Amino acid sequence: MILFLASRPVTAPPVRPAAAARHAPRHRLPRFPRIRPLAPYRRIFSLPGTRAFTAANLLARLPMGMLSVSAVLMIAGTRGSYALAGAVTATGLAATALTGPLTARLVDRHGQARIAVPATALAVLGSLSLLLCVHYDAPAWTLFASCAATATTPNTGGMSRARWAHLFRDDPAALHTANSFEQAADELCFMLGPVLATLLCTALFPEAGTAVAAGFLLTGVLLFSAQRRTEPPVTRPAPGSPSDPSALSLSPTRPRAPLRLPGLPPLLLTFLFTGAIFGSLEVVTIAYADDHGVRSTAGAMLALQAAGSCAAGLLYGLLHPPNGPGQRSRRFRLCVGAMATLMLLPLLAAGTGSLTALTCALLLAGMATAPAMVTGMGLVQSRTPAAQLNEGMALAVTALLTGIAAGSAAGGWAVDHLSRPAPGPGLAYAVPAAAAALALTIALLTARPTSTDA
């Protein structure tokens, strides 16, 4: 037994660390802050009801990029005249520019749900009337009348921005992110809408694009209007305020039209020239691709430009909003200056004769438009009273539509008269460059910030 115990190895008892040593702090590698680039967007969509009204509004906004293309394809495909198709769509665009602010004024005075639903119903009836008139070979004047009836389509994008402005009226950072998302949503609809319209009209039948777009519009507005808890309340201006709509006589309390609000007219003029950029770029790019024998790629080139603008809008929403008096106006001038500078790239790239270089230039030029639009819409919101917010944003959209129409005409004239027979349609890219330069000139000449800019 003694020999057995002696043969066992003798081990020392475990040494326990002292109390001070046990509680000594451990040295760890430094932790770097987690980068969460989508946190601002998660924040705005964490508010109850925001996801629902946004999804419904996107469905209602998608026809914005479908209806014009569908009408052109439908009329040209059945009547064989692009001139008639262009004239009919131009009539609808002009009618919308005139009627849009009036519809928005009714929305401000009576609420979104009470006005948007019947206005959309009238617009959908106009689209269906156009479809039937084309299908049954009705006289040409019926096409113009039917397309003009679609002018009551409410400004769905403006109503969505009005909801964000109400929900985040005391949170400039969240409102900046929301406005950036709305601009990206506009670009997404203009990117996907024409592609979907072309697919429907060519794969199914000529009237399919108009029918589906009308269905999307009505369904989306109905779902959007049903989201009542996020709808901004009707604001009743105080008697005697500039936006008081109660006074109808020539009195000191007569309401001041948004066009007479300080700082808004020059801002709308800048939107007009920005719209001219969009309209001329579309026409000139199609002509350039057609001149190089690849007209079918023009849609992809324009979609890439819209994709660049969409991505830039989302990235711009991650930046901190401008703070302090006049900072928003200064940032707007900076954004418009960047847009005017980058808009020279398509003109330079077209001179090389390379489609690849032009596509890259369009991508970069598109990335400059979204920040200018986001900041400009923020200025419209800050300079417009809450009781007239929808009307103010509708005026901005009207300026854009007018600019798009004028830019399309100017771009087409430049393609026909400045680029034939040489050096080709690439010289017509001077039109969007000139429009961007004029927008910058207006922004610089009217640089004085108002008391509402922040």
Side-chain angles (χ1 to χ4, degrees):
M1 185 66 178
I2 295 175
L3 293 175
F4 172 75
L5 293 175
S7 64
R8 295 184 62 186
V10 179
T11 58
V15 180
R16 297 182 178 273
R22 286 200 306 266
H23 297 287
R26 296 181 179 178
H27 295 284
R28 297 180 179 179
L29 293 176
R31 279 190 175 184
F32 294 96
R34 296 179 63 184
I35 300 176
R36 297 179 179 180
L38 299 181
Y41 291 100
R42 291 195 187 99
R43 180 188 171 204
I44 63 173
F45 285 112
S46 64
L47 207 63
T50 54
R51 297 182 182 183
F53 88 73
T54 299
N57 191 269
L58 286 176
L59 180 62
R61 211 185 308 189
L62 184 59
M64 177 175 61
M66 295 179 60
L67 285 170
S68 294
V69 176
S70 298
V72 169
L73 293 174
M74 177 176 64
I75 296 172
T78 55
R79 300 292 179 99
S81 173
Y82 278 97
L84 176 62
V88 169
T89 54
T91 300
L93 187 65
T96 301
L98 294 174
T99 310
L102 301 178
T103 305
R105 183 180 300 176
L106 293 175
V107 170
D108 283 326
R109 295 185 181 182
H110 303 287
Q112 294 183 354
R114 293 182 61 184
I115 300 300
V117 173
T120 301
L122 289 176
V124 169
L125 288 177
S127 295
L128 295 179
S129 174
L130 177 64
L131 186 153
L132 294 175
C133 289
V134 170
H135 183 74
Y136 290 104
D137 200 20
W141 67 266
T142 61
L143 307 185
F144 290 92
S146 299
C147 199
T150 64
T152 59
T153 303
N155 180 15
T156 51
M159 291 192 298
S160 183
R161 287 179 173 91
R163 295 202 179 202
W164 290 119
H166 168 66
L167 294 173
F168 298 122
R169 55 191 177 275
D170 298 323
D171 192 342
L175 183 58
H176 168 74
T177 303
N179 284 333
S180 301
F181 172 81
E182 289 297 323
Q183 184 60 37
D186 283 342
E187 300 295 343
L188 182 65
C189 292
F190 277 118
M191 180 174 61
L192 298 180
V195 176
L196 180 59
T198 304
L199 178 64
L200 290 171
C201 292
T202 55
L204 299 179
F205 49 91
E207 299 88 356
T210 301
V212 172
F216 282 169
L217 177 62
L218 183 60
T219 303
V221 170
L222 287 174
L223 293 174
F224 178 78
S225 300
Q227 310 300 319
R228 302 301 294 269
R229 61 176 173 176
T230 54
E231 180 180 356
V234 177
T235 304
R236 302 293 180 185
S241 65
S243 57
D244 179 15
S246 60
L248 299 178
S249 60
L250 294 175
S251 63
T253 60
R254 184 171 183 175
R256 178 184 297 178
L259 282 175
R260 298 176 56 192
L261 293 173
L264 199 57
L267 189 60
L268 296 179
L269 196 57
T270 306
F271 275 90
L272 177 72
F273 288 116
T274 305
I277 295 173
F278 298 147
S280 57
L281 270 181
E282 180 177 352
V283 173
V284 176
T285 300
I286 292 175
Y288 189 90
D290 192 17
D291 185 69
H292 284 69
V294 286
R295 187 178 185 182
S296 59
T297 64
M301 296 168 67
L302 292 172
L304 190 61
Q305 177 220 344
S309 184
C310 177
L314 293 175
L315 292 175
Y316 187 70
L318 301 177
L319 301 178
H320 292 289
N323 297 317
Q327 287 293 327
R328 186 175 293 169
S329 296
R330 282 190 285 271
R331 182 176 288 190
F332 177 65
R333 295 193 299 273
L334 180 63
C335 292
V336 175
M339 180 177 68
T341 302
L342 292 180
M343 208 52 65
L344 294 172
L345 295 180
L347 177 61
L348 298 175
T352 65
S354 171
L355 282 175
T356 302
L358 178 61
T359 302
C360 295
L362 288 173
L363 174 65
L364 294 175
M367 295 181 70
T369 57
M373 290 290 299
V374 172
T375 313
M377 278 296 183
L379 283 173
V380 171
Q381 293 176 357
S382 66
R383 295 177 180 180
T384 307
Q388 296 174 296
L389 185 57
N390 285 283
E391 185 177 358
M393 287 189 290
L395 287 172
V397 174
T398 296
L400 280 172
L401 293 177
T402 305
I404 289 173
S408 298
W413 182 90
V415 168
D416 289 338
H417 294 84
L418 298 182
S419 308
R420 303 297 184 188
L427 186 60
Y429 277 108
V431 175
L438 289 173
L440 177 60
T441 302
I442 296 298
L444 293 177
L445 291 179
T446 58
R448 185 179 61 180
T450 66
S451 58
T452 57
D453 293 344

